[in-house]
């Protein structure tokens, strides 16, 4: 479908807002960033902003979607579409690339995590998961079908394996996020728990695919250390505390504003 000039202009302006928001995320943090900051940086009106986004939360969702679609997905597809690789090599390459991409953006990921997993973003997370399933299912289907042809994967249900597979990967990510957000990552035992958790998920995925034991590694030891060694999580705990304080303050302000608009 050919994009019209109007559509291109809309996309360009939307990306300008996202670019400004991303710069502010790095310089101020999500909790301290305001819509007014974006307006001032771009010299645009509130009306212009709300033409593209209805809230600061929707900007966050759009930023994450853009990072996944424009940055992460092409890197993953280059591996999956490589005709020289076996199914196992493609699958492991997919995991390794995804982990490296997230770890390289660790500061941003950790900063956004407490916001992304807040109650107010439940719907956004569900929408993002739905989008991920739509994008990733065909990729995993292709790899699993190739593995079945090669005899590497012996599952009798290759057409359904990817659905369970994607759900487990998402579940592992949510569990890790919970460990980081609740301070478990700094208790000295988090790395060992994370290692055992990954081993359990590796085993489950291998069983569903009918893959050889020890052939799949969702996350390697070095990457786990980067996220769960106590000395590497102290900054995140501070960021989480600041974000929670700011979010509680924003919630109180919203409640007061609501009472003023609707006095009893």
């Amino acid at each position: 479908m050919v994009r019209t000039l109007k559509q291109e202009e809309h996309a360009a302006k939307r990306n300008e807002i996202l670019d400004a928001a991303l710069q502010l995320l790095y310089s101020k943090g999500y909790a301290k960033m305001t819509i007014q900051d974006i307006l001032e940086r771009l010299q645009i009106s509130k009306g212009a902003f709300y033409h593209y986004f209805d809230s600061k939360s929707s900007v966050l969702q759009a930023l994450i979607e853009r990072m996944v679609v424009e940055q992460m997905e092409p890197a993953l597809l280059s591996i999956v579409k490589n005709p020289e690789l076996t199914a196992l090599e493609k699958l492991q390459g997919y995991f390794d690339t995804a982990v490296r991409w997230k770890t390289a953006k660790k500061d941003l990921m950790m900063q956004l995590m407490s916001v992304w997993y807040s109650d107010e973003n439940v719907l956004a997370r569900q929408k993002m998961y739905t989008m991920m399933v739509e994008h990733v299912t065909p990729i995993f289907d292709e790899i699993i079908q190739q593995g079945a042809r090669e005899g590497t994967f012996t599952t009798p249900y290759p057409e359904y394996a990817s659905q369970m597979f994607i759900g487990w990967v998402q579940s592992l990510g949510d569990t890790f996020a919970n460990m980081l957000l609740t301070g478990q990552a700094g208790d000295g035992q988090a790395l060992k728990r994370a290692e055992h958790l990954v081993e359990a998920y590796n085993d489950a995925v291998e069983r569903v695919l009918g893959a050889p034991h020890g052939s799949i590694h969702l996350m390697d030891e070095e990457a786990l250390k980067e996220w769960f060694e106590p000395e590497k999580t102290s900054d995140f705990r501070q960021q989480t505390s600041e974000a929670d304080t700011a979010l509680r303050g924003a919630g109180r302000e919203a409640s007061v504003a609501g009472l003023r608009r609707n006095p009893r």
Side-chain angles (χ1 to χ4, degrees):
M1 179 175 163
V2 179
R3 297 177 69 179
T4 66
L5 180 60
K6 191 171 183 180
Q7 288 173 323
E8 291 176 355
E9 290 175 349
H10 183 279
K13 178 57 70 176
R14 187 175 186 273
N15 276 321
E16 283 182 16
I17 295 174
L18 292 177
D19 290 339
L22 185 59
Q23 292 168 9
L24 288 163
L25 279 172
Y26 279 116
S27 62
K28 299 186 69 170
Y30 179 86
K32 294 180 181 178
M33 180 188 78
T34 66
I35 291 175
Q36 186 61 37
D37 290 329
I38 298 174
L39 304 184
E40 291 175 359
R41 183 170 288 253
L42 294 176
Q43 294 297 297
I44 60 174
S45 66
K46 282 188 176 180
F49 173 88
Y50 285 112
H51 179 69
Y52 298 93
F53 302 100
D54 58 15
S55 65
K56 193 171 82 164
S57 178
S58 68
V59 172
L60 171 66
Q61 181 182 347
L63 272 173
I64 295 173
E65 288 177 357
R66 189 176 73 166
M67 284 192 293
V68 171
V69 172
E70 295 184 5
Q71 298 176 27
M72 187 176 179
E73 194 171 89
L76 296 173
L77 285 175
S78 68
I79 295 169
V80 174
K81 298 299 181 180
N82 187 337
E84 303 299 320
L85 299 178
T86 66
L88 262 179
E89 289 171 337
K90 288 180 179 180
L91 197 58
Q92 193 58 56
Y94 185 102
F95 295 138
D96 292 344
T97 300
V99 169
R100 282 197 303 269
W101 183 85
K102 292 176 182 178
T103 303
K105 297 179 179 296
K106 181 183 173 185
D107 289 345
L108 178 62
M109 294 291 155
M110 292 174 80
Q111 184 186 147
L112 297 181
M113 198 176 295
S114 61
V115 181
W116 186 242
Y117 280 91
S118 66
D119 290 344
E120 67 181 38
N121 280 319
V122 170
L123 180 59
R125 290 200 305 276
Q126 183 57 46
K127 288 171 65 177
M128 175 61 73
Y129 177 71
T130 300
M131 186 195 79
M132 183 190 75
V133 170
E134 291 174 354
H135 281 264
V136 173
T137 297
I139 295 174
F140 283 142
D141 281 346
E142 184 176 331
I143 293 175
I144 293 169
Q145 294 288 351
Q146 179 185 341
R149 292 193 301 272
E150 294 171 350
T152 308
F153 302 151
T154 60
T155 173
Y157 306 106
E159 67 273 25
Y160 300 116
S162 62
Q163 297 176 25
M164 292 180 282
F165 187 73
I166 293 169
W168 284 342
V169 171
Q170 179 67 29
S171 174
L172 179 61
D174 290 344
T175 301
F176 279 169
N178 182 65
M179 289 174 66
L180 290 163
L181 289 171
T182 57
Q184 297 177 50
D187 67 4
Q189 295 298 315
L191 179 59
K192 185 59 66 176
R193 288 200 301 273
E195 288 172 347
H196 288 167
L197 192 61
V198 169
E199 289 170 2
Y201 274 82
N202 290 343
D203 181 69
V205 170
E206 288 169 356
R207 289 174 184 272
V208 165
L209 295 180
H213 178 68
S215 62
I216 292 175
H217 307 279
L218 298 179
M219 197 168 182
D220 63 43
E221 185 178 349
E222 289 306 310
L224 286 170
K225 287 180 179 178
E226 188 65 34
W227 287 92
F228 290 101
E229 280 191 339
E231 61 270 23
K232 295 185 178 180
T233 61
S234 57
D235 289 343
F236 174 63
R237 292 196 296 275
Q238 177 64 27
Q239 290 171 1
T240 300
S241 176
E242 291 176 355
D244 287 344
T245 299
L247 286 169
R248 285 196 297 271
R252 287 194 296 271
E253 290 174 6
S255 297
V256 171
L259 287 172
R260 286 173 179 167
R261 288 194 300 269
N262 302 291
R264 291 182 179 273

